[in-house]
Amino acid sequence: MAPSLTLFFSLFTAFLSSSLQPLASSSPFNHPPRFPATAKLPWAQVRVNEAQAPEYRYETRYFSQQLDHFSFLELPTFQQRYLINTEYWVGPQRLGPIFFYCGNEGDIVWFAENTGFVWEIAPQFGAMVVFPEHRYYGESMPFGSREEAYKNATTLSYLTAEQALADFSVLVTDLKQNLSATDCPVVLFGGSYGGMLAAWMRLKYPHIAIGALAASAPILQFEDIVPQETFYDIVSNDFKRESSTCFNYIKESWNNIASIGQTLNGLVQLSNTFHFCRPLNKTADLWNWLEDAYGYLAMVDYPYPASFMMPLPGHPIKEVCKRIDGQLAGTSVLERIYDGVNVYYNYTGETKCFELDDDPHGLSGWNWQACTEMVMPMSCDPDSCMFPPYKFNYSDYEEGCISSYGVKPRPKWITTEFGGHKIDATLKKFGSNLIFSNGLLDPWSGGSVLQNISESVVALVTEEGAHHLDLRASTKYDPDWLVEQRATEIKLIKGWITEYHEKNKAMFDM
Amino acid sequence: MAPSLTLFFSLFTAFLSSSLQPLASSSPFNHPPRFPATAKLPWAQVRVNEAQAPEYRYETRYFSQQLDHFSFLELPTFQQRYLINTEYWVGPQRLGPIFFYCGNEGDIVWFAENTGFVWEIAPQFGAMVVFPEHRYYGESMPFGSREEAYKNATTLSYLTAEQALADFSVLVTDLKQNLSATDCPVVLFGGSYGGMLAAWMRLKYPHIAIGALAASAPILQFEDIVPQETFYDIVSNDFKRESSTCFNYIKESWNNIASIGQTLNGLVQLSNTFHFCRPLNKTADLWNWLEDAYGYLAMVDYPYPASFMMPLPGHPIKEVCKRIDGQLAGTSVLERIYDGVNVYYNYTGETKCFELDDDPHGLSGWNWQACTEMVMPMSCDPDSCMFPPYKFNYSDYEEGCISSYGVKPRPKWITTEFGGHKIDATLKKFGSNLIFSNGLLDPWSGGSVLQNISESVVALVTEEGAHHLDLRASTKYDPDWLVEQRATEIKLIKGWITEYHEKNKAMFDM
């Protein structure tokens, strides 16, 4: 349930538009990385409007964390928020499991509410549920406030995946000690970036967690491990499979926008066509706004209505393409596009005009992460990709990060720290009790593990699935394949726990 | 070949004497952690005098490292020194292995010269040999100089094991890329603290190294994993097994020293008895000096003459006890002790008087490490231990660190980061290709892994072995058990490489 990677997408599109000469445009597309343009609907509002909004019970607690686990610089500690529910837990005597969700780049309450799977299965496992928040997101702010934490590269410098994993490890170790539950098995869950954290934590801290369900976790989206075109090719195919005309309209639209943008009053015209509350400053903003919508749509192309990023109908891409294709003859490409993306930005129809740069879920820290460790090279191939062609250029990327944050990325660090090249060999030998679940409609699936690696490192791939749909609460609309996928996950997790209990029993019996 | 843990010992004795009320003394034993009192013989001098000093060929290179791998604070990089020899390497086409020694807390040249095993076996493996230096030791100084690096807690704050492991990982990854040798298998070696690093690196970076020989690596010497008395009990037993009278004389000596120290001119008298160049400032200094000698003697109780810490005869403890026991009747306890420890501090007989606080191998950074991550609780049991009785007290320890460095230790961090509790279960499931070699005379053996854990996590234990004797160059004096131990190590390492080559071949054949 992490939109995390939405952010990757967003960041990339920012770079895409900013650092590169688009097809037919000479506009100065130079803006810093920016955030998902999730328009003006704050999440709270979405929840109120949503009949099926779940109600999960938990206690909110705070844990004092080291800001830098790997140095002894005298730094202020910070309060990490975590949500905890022990009402189903069978306790330490019976070695009740601890379900531990690896919080990702946003408010943990939002993730908790969108990770119904963990809440739903906890009772049958007699499990405690813990949702720790990722540092620098939600309320878990170093230096006392978001403003201070995000002030500059110095204050942001401790926003890294390794520090977050250390937070999780210290927290769960302390929690278990305090509950006299050191022997209770910990099972990790995570989606998107959180799924990457879950997988990495299982690999780096095997003494702490017995297994991990890593949903839609693109741990291979680094360096040259997967083709750079993968992400945008999948987004594009998601549209093409609904309608090749739809795909072509979108592909055509970029140049149209660029051409109009260059004319006198072109930006005003575009702003009117797309109903922005304020005139656009540059065409790149519109590009990004559209790219965000298509990317997110591909991620949340769920088979039933859902409100993860935005309130959307089931099969939203089908809906978008219906609108793009289904206009009267003579309707301009941009009017078609406008009507199409309204499915994403304004499905409720309540929005009168759009604002750019909203960040209702507080996800913007991802831009920093993308400018430091999370360098995911992506390109757009002119033949297969419906976005403006783009060839990833590391120098431009680096330059963008330096100018935005004054920070230089370390593009090889993640694979050095966590591996990635020849992942099969590594996971076969060292990994176990890992589930990589992926839906092939999800553009992030291309950077994940899609094949079984061993008996206990398993890939669950669904053709019609999108971004970690399996982590969401069950609904009456769930297709059979989703019901089956979740049942398999439950069976595998049960296997890990049973195996753990048997080994522990064997140790007690000795 | 790491005296590393000599330091642990030294540090402990410092705390032991400083933070605790000794038996019959009211002296204010309050001094900060200090360093091995290796007297006035600089290592260089020892080498010149030593006929069998080996000559290993290597090139010295420097690699630019991040000071903090886990944050993006803008910090100066530093030059990490490493020694490299490629003359036996069969190259990337033939997947020639890379033997990578995990440098520990001292000058890497010294370790390289005392790790003959790696040099000797490299040719038969067609292996490259790399000896990277540990940050903050030798020439690998952040902030340009030792003086700057050790200036205060802020400059020292990046001296941690995790940073060192990241240095190694980044270095070897870069090295392999530059040599087009990304597929070449890396085998790790390390002794003492370096052995801990080798084992941890194998566990934390399995994608980087295919196996590790961790010699005398006390990875379990943390928290309550092994009994606190283990270390000093082993030292004491090493003396007792040679002679119980010797053991008793030593046990008796502490109170004698304390009593004399309290008298008028007592410190002068003690200084004369022990031939110090300058009068002692406090009896604790003498205690530490003696404790250091006994601890080191137990570590290097090798069966043949060697010059690791100091030039020593074979079976040096036997020699010490011969001198302590073999005096004329009526000789005082302290005169006996003086003659005994001369075996350690002055075997060549060239020293006219002794100085305190020399640190010829530049090991003093260990005190910082012991005051941050490497908190190894040790106690001395009045019955079994020949040292002044001592019960480890964490508050005192912490207080000592705060007053010495202004830093607060994190005593639970190492086991959180690397595991340690229930090591069998963890290593059985996640470890492979690991050798833990230990000699039971070595006091550090008590904190290491002494039993086979699986087919590929193997404990090689020798009854008459001391501190990572197996890593030293072979000599004509090697006892059969040592020859056999090294042969087993070679066989196991060959097995790892063969397995790796076969898997790689299988991949190429696919």
Side-chain angles (χ1 to χ4, degrees):
Chain A
M1 304 292 85
S4 334
L5 298 171
T6 58
L7 283 173
F8 299 17
F9 175 77
S10 171
L11 180 82
F12 166 60
T13 60
F15 274 112
L16 181 154
S17 311
S18 67
S19 53
L20 157 85
Q21 207 58 358
L23 264 179
S25 159
S26 58
S27 320
F29 289 119
N30 290 314
H31 64 79
R34 58 175 203 83
F35 315 126
T38 28
K40 71 181 189 77
L41 270 177
W43 181 250
Q45 195 179 327
V46 174
R47 280 183 54 216
V48 171
N49 294 344
E50 203 181 356
Q52 76 272 37
E55 276 297 328
Y56 304 120
R57 286 182 303 274
Y58 50 77
E59 202 185 314
T60 303
R61 294 192 199 158
Y62 297 85
F63 182 78
S64 184
Q65 284 285 7
Q66 299 290 345
L67 188 52
D68 192 351
H69 293 280
F70 307 101
S71 90
F72 282 79
L73 211 58
E74 207 178 342
L75 292 163
T77 55
F78 72 95
Q79 296 300 306
Q80 178 176 29
R81 175 168 60 159
Y82 65 101
L83 319 180
I84 183 167
N85 174 315
T86 55
E87 65 187 274
Y88 309 116
W89 192 41
V90 295
Q93 266 74 41
R94 292 173 58 193
L95 296 183
I98 297 170
F99 284 179
F100 194 86
Y101 176 91
C102 295
N104 31 327
E105 77 289 18
D107 189 300
I108 194 61
V109 173
W110 182 49
F111 291 125
E113 286 173 353
N114 280 276
T115 311
F117 179 67
V118 172
W119 297 103
E120 287 179 1
I121 69 172
Q124 64 180 284
F125 282 90
M128 183 194 306
V129 175
V130 185
F131 275 80
E133 192 161 61
H134 192 295
R135 53 167 57 200
Y136 287 85
Y137 294 98
E139 294 183 7
S140 301
M141 288 294 165
F143 306 109
S145 71
R146 194 184 182 290
E147 203 188 346
E148 287 299 312
Y150 279 71
K151 201 157 74 178
N152 54 42
T154 302
T155 58
L156 275 167
S157 66
Y158 304 100
L159 170 47
T160 69
E162 302 84 57
Q163 300 282 2
L165 292 178
D167 290 339
F168 295 157
S169 301
V170 169
L171 170 63
V172 74
T173 301
D174 185 85
L175 205 57
K176 288 171 78 173
Q177 277 172 359
N178 285 341
L179 294 166
S180 307
T182 46
D183 287 340
C184 292
V186 175
V187 177
L188 305 172
F189 296 83
S192 200
Y193 167 51
M196 296 161 68
L197 292 176
W200 289 337
M201 184 158 166
R202 169 65 182 153
L203 293 172
K204 287 288 201 183
Y205 296 87
H207 51 287
I208 289 181
I210 66 157
L213 167 53
S216 303
I219 57 168
L220 307 179
Q221 195 75 50
F222 296 94
E223 296 180 45
D224 56 356
I225 303 175
V226 297
Q228 293 181 352
E229 293 76 18
T230 302
F231 185 96
Y232 284 100
D233 278 357
I234 297 176
V235 178
S236 304
N237 279 330
D238 286 353
F239 284 81
K240 202 178 214 167
R241 74 172 204 140
E242 297 297 350
S243 148
S244 61
T245 47
C246 175
F247 170 94
N248 285 328
Y249 277 126
I250 295 170
K251 205 167 158 62
E252 214 183 314
S253 68
W254 312 106
N255 273 354
N256 283 9
I257 292 168
S259 305
I260 297 172
Q262 282 170 47
T263 61
L264 194 67
N265 288 327
L267 288 171
V268 174
Q269 187 187 330
L270 289 171
S271 307
N272 291 339
T273 307
F274 286 89
H275 294 222
F276 284 106
C277 308
R278 274 168 264 271
L280 290 161
N281 290 323
K282 49 189 182 309
T283 49
D285 289 346
L286 177 55
W287 276 26
N288 287 334
W289 190 73
L290 293 172
E291 286 158 3
D292 279 355
Y294 303 136
Y296 286 131
L297 280 162
M299 287 166 66
V300 299
D301 196 18
Y302 297 143
Y304 56 79
S307 291
F308 183 33
M309 292 305 290
M310 303 289 268
L312 290 175
H315 300 291
I317 291 184
K318 191 189 287 293
E319 205 65 28
V320 171
C321 283
K322 235 189 242 169
R323 295 216 197 162
I324 289 179
D325 289 346
Q327 305 291 323
L328 292 174
T331 310
S332 77
V333 171
L334 296 194
E335 279 170 299
R336 290 170 186 273
I337 297 293
Y338 169 70
D339 203 36
V341 294
N342 254 275
V343 171
Y344 181 72
Y345 283 120
N346 192 19
Y347 190 63
T348 61
E350 291 167 6
T351 305
K352 298 286 169 264
C353 63
F354 299 102
E355 300 275 7
L356 293 172
D357 279 325
D358 279 358
D359 179 22
H361 309 309
L363 313 172
S364 69
W366 185 258
N367 290 349
W368 166 265
Q369 295 193 251
C371 265
T372 48
E373 303 178 313
M374 301 295 169
V375 180
M376 299 177 155
M378 290 182 183
S379 294
C380 181
D381 178 277
D383 294 330
S384 51
C385 166
M386 68 183 194
F387 295 92
Y390 174 70
K391 180 91 191 90
F392 179 79
N393 179 311
Y394 178 69
S395 310
D396 293 343
Y397 191 96
E398 184 182 89
E399 208 179 283
C401 291
I402 292 172
S403 83
S404 304
Y405 289 109
V407 75
K408 215 172 141 179
R410 297 178 194 158
K412 287 182 184 173
W413 169 243
I414 286 288
T415 60
T416 302
E417 177 67 11
F418 298 112
H421 298 283
K422 292 195 189 174
I423 194 77
D424 290 24
T426 307
L427 288 182
K428 190 171 236 148
K429 184 112 189 175
F430 307 102
S432 62
N433 299 0
L434 264 167
I435 303 170
F436 291 98
S437 68
N438 280 284
L440 292 183
L441 297 183
D442 177 14
W444 293 110
S445 64
S448 189
V449 176
L450 297 175
Q451 290 190 316
N452 289 344
I453 284 178
S454 67
E455 224 171 275
S456 75
V457 180
V458 175
L460 297 183
V461 179
T462 54
E463 270 191 38
E464 296 291 312
H467 205 46
H468 51 68
L469 181 53
D470 47 334
L471 288 188
R472 297 188 69 80
S474 59
T475 72
K476 57 185 171 186
Y477 313 108
D478 291 342
D480 288 347
W481 54 260
L482 178 58
V483 175
E484 273 165 36
Q485 182 186 17
R486 292 194 184 122
T488 307
E489 289 169 355
I490 292 169
K491 204 181 105 201
L492 289 166
I493 295 168
K494 276 201 175 132
W496 305 341
I497 294 171
T498 305
E499 189 198 0
Y500 178 84
H501 282 174
E502 273 163 10
K503 266 193 198 144
N504 241 275
K505 198 174 161 295
M507 280 175 72
F508 286 138
D509 289 350
M510 280 195 311
Chain B
M1 306 290 84
S4 337
L5 299 172
T6 59
L7 284 174
F8 298 17
F9 175 77
S10 173
L11 179 81
F12 167 59
T13 60
F15 274 111
L16 182 153
S17 310
S18 67
S19 52
L20 156 85
Q21 205 60 359
L23 264 180
S25 159
S26 57
S27 320
F29 289 118
N30 290 313
H31 64 79
R34 58 177 203 81
F35 316 125
T38 28
K40 72 184 189 75
L41 271 176
W43 181 251
Q45 196 179 328
V46 174
R47 280 184 54 218
V48 172
N49 294 345
E50 203 181 358
Q52 76 271 38
E55 276 297 329
Y56 304 120
R57 286 183 302 276
Y58 50 79
E59 203 185 311
T60 302
R61 294 192 199 159
Y62 298 85
F63 182 78
S64 185
Q65 284 284 8
Q66 299 291 344
L67 189 51
D68 192 351
H69 293 279
F70 307 100
S71 90
F72 283 78
L73 210 57
E74 206 178 343
L75 291 164
T77 55
F78 72 96
Q79 296 300 304
Q80 179 176 29
R81 176 167 60 158
Y82 64 102
L83 318 179
I84 183 167
N85 174 314
T86 56
E87 65 187 276
Y88 309 115
W89 191 41
V90 296
Q93 267 74 41
R94 292 173 58 195
L95 297 183
I98 297 171
F99 285 178
F100 194 87
Y101 176 89
C102 295
N104 31 328
E105 77 289 17
D107 189 300
I108 194 63
V109 173
W110 182 50
F111 291 124
E113 285 173 352
N114 280 277
T115 311
F117 179 66
V118 172
W119 296 102
E120 287 179 3
I121 69 171
Q124 63 179 285
F125 281 91
M128 183 194 306
V129 175
V130 185
F131 275 79
E133 192 161 60
H134 192 295
R135 53 167 58 200
Y136 287 85
Y137 293 99
E139 293 183 7
S140 301
M141 287 295 164
F143 306 107
S145 70
R146 193 186 183 290
E147 204 188 343
E148 287 299 312
Y150 279 71
K151 204 158 69 177
N152 54 43
T154 302
T155 58
L156 275 167
S157 67
Y158 304 100
L159 170 47
T160 69
E162 301 84 59
Q163 300 282 2
L165 292 178
D167 289 340
F168 295 156
S169 302
V170 169
L171 170 63
V172 75
T173 302
D174 185 85
L175 205 58
K176 288 172 76 173
Q177 276 171 359
N178 286 342
L179 294 166
S180 306
T182 46
D183 287 340
C184 292
V186 175
V187 178
L188 304 172
F189 296 83
S192 200
Y193 167 51
M196 294 160 68
L197 292 176
W200 288 338
M201 184 158 166
R202 169 66 182 152
L203 293 172
K204 287 288 202 183
Y205 296 87
H207 51 286
I208 289 182
I210 66 157
L213 167 53
S216 304
I219 57 168
L220 307 180
Q221 196 76 49
F222 296 94
E223 296 180 45
D224 56 355
I225 303 175
V226 297
Q228 292 182 351
E229 293 75 17
T230 302
F231 184 95
Y232 284 100
D233 278 356
I234 296 176
V235 178
S236 303
N237 280 330
D238 287 353
F239 283 80
K240 202 178 213 168
R241 74 172 204 140
E242 297 295 351
S243 149
S244 61
T245 47
C246 176
F247 170 93
N248 285 328
Y249 278 127
I250 295 170
K251 204 166 160 61
E252 213 182 315
S253 68
W254 311 107
N255 273 354
N256 283 8
I257 292 168
S259 303
I260 297 172
Q262 283 171 45
T263 62
L264 193 69
N265 288 325
L267 288 170
V268 173
Q269 187 187 331
L270 289 170
S271 307
N272 291 338
T273 307
F274 285 90
H275 294 220
F276 285 105
C277 307
R278 273 169 264 271
L280 290 160
N281 290 324
K282 51 187 183 308
T283 49
D285 289 347
L286 178 55
W287 276 26
N288 287 334
W289 190 73
L290 294 172
E291 286 158 1
D292 280 356
Y294 302 135
Y296 286 131
L297 280 161
M299 287 166 65
V300 299
D301 196 19
Y302 297 144
Y304 55 80
S307 291
F308 183 33
M309 292 304 291
M310 304 289 267
L312 290 175
H315 299 293
I317 291 183
K318 191 189 287 293
E319 205 66 29
V320 172
C321 283
K322 234 188 243 170
R323 295 214 197 163
I324 290 180
D325 289 347
Q327 306 289 321
L328 292 174
T331 310
S332 77
V333 171
L334 296 194
E335 279 170 299
R336 289 170 186 273
I337 297 293
Y338 170 70
D339 202 38
V341 294
N342 253 276
V343 171
Y344 182 72
Y345 282 121
N346 192 20
Y347 189 63
T348 61
E350 292 168 5
T351 305
K352 298 286 170 263
C353 64
F354 300 102
E355 300 274 8
L356 294 172
D357 279 325
D358 279 357
D359 180 21
H361 309 309
L363 313 172
S364 69
W366 183 259
N367 290 350
W368 166 265
Q369 295 193 251
C371 266
T372 48
E373 302 178 312
M374 302 295 170
V375 180
M376 299 175 153
M378 291 181 183
S379 293
C380 181
D381 178 276
D383 294 329
S384 51
C385 164
M386 68 182 194
F387 295 92
Y390 174 69
K391 181 89 192 93
F392 179 80
N393 179 312
Y394 178 69
S395 308
D396 292 343
Y397 190 96
E398 184 183 87
E399 206 179 283
C401 291
I402 292 171
S403 84
S404 302
Y405 288 109
V407 75
K408 215 173 141 178
R410 296 179 194 158
K412 287 182 185 176
W413 169 243
I414 285 289
T415 59
T416 302
E417 177 67 10
F418 298 112
H421 298 283
K422 292 195 188 173
I423 194 77
D424 292 25
T426 307
L427 288 182
K428 190 170 236 150
K429 184 111 191 178
F430 307 103
S432 62
N433 299 1
L434 263 168
I435 303 170
F436 291 98
S437 68
N438 280 283
L440 293 184
L441 297 183
D442 177 13
W444 293 110
S445 64
S448 188
V449 176
L450 297 175
Q451 290 190 315
N452 289 343
I453 283 177
S454 68
E455 225 171 272
S456 75
V457 180
V458 174
L460 297 182
V461 178
T462 55
E463 269 190 39
E464 296 291 312
H467 205 46
H468 51 68
L469 182 53
D470 48 333
L471 288 188
R472 297 187 70 79
S474 59
T475 72
K476 57 186 171 185
Y477 313 108
D478 291 342
D480 288 346
W481 54 260
L482 178 58
V483 176
E484 274 165 36
Q485 181 187 17
R486 291 195 184 119
T488 306
E489 288 169 357
I490 292 169
K491 205 181 104 200
L492 288 167
I493 294 168
K494 275 200 176 133
W496 304 341
I497 293 171
T498 305
E499 188 198 0
Y500 178 84
H501 282 174
E502 273 163 11
K503 267 194 198 144
N504 241 274
K505 198 174 162 293
M507 280 176 70
F508 285 137
D509 289 349
M510 279 195 313

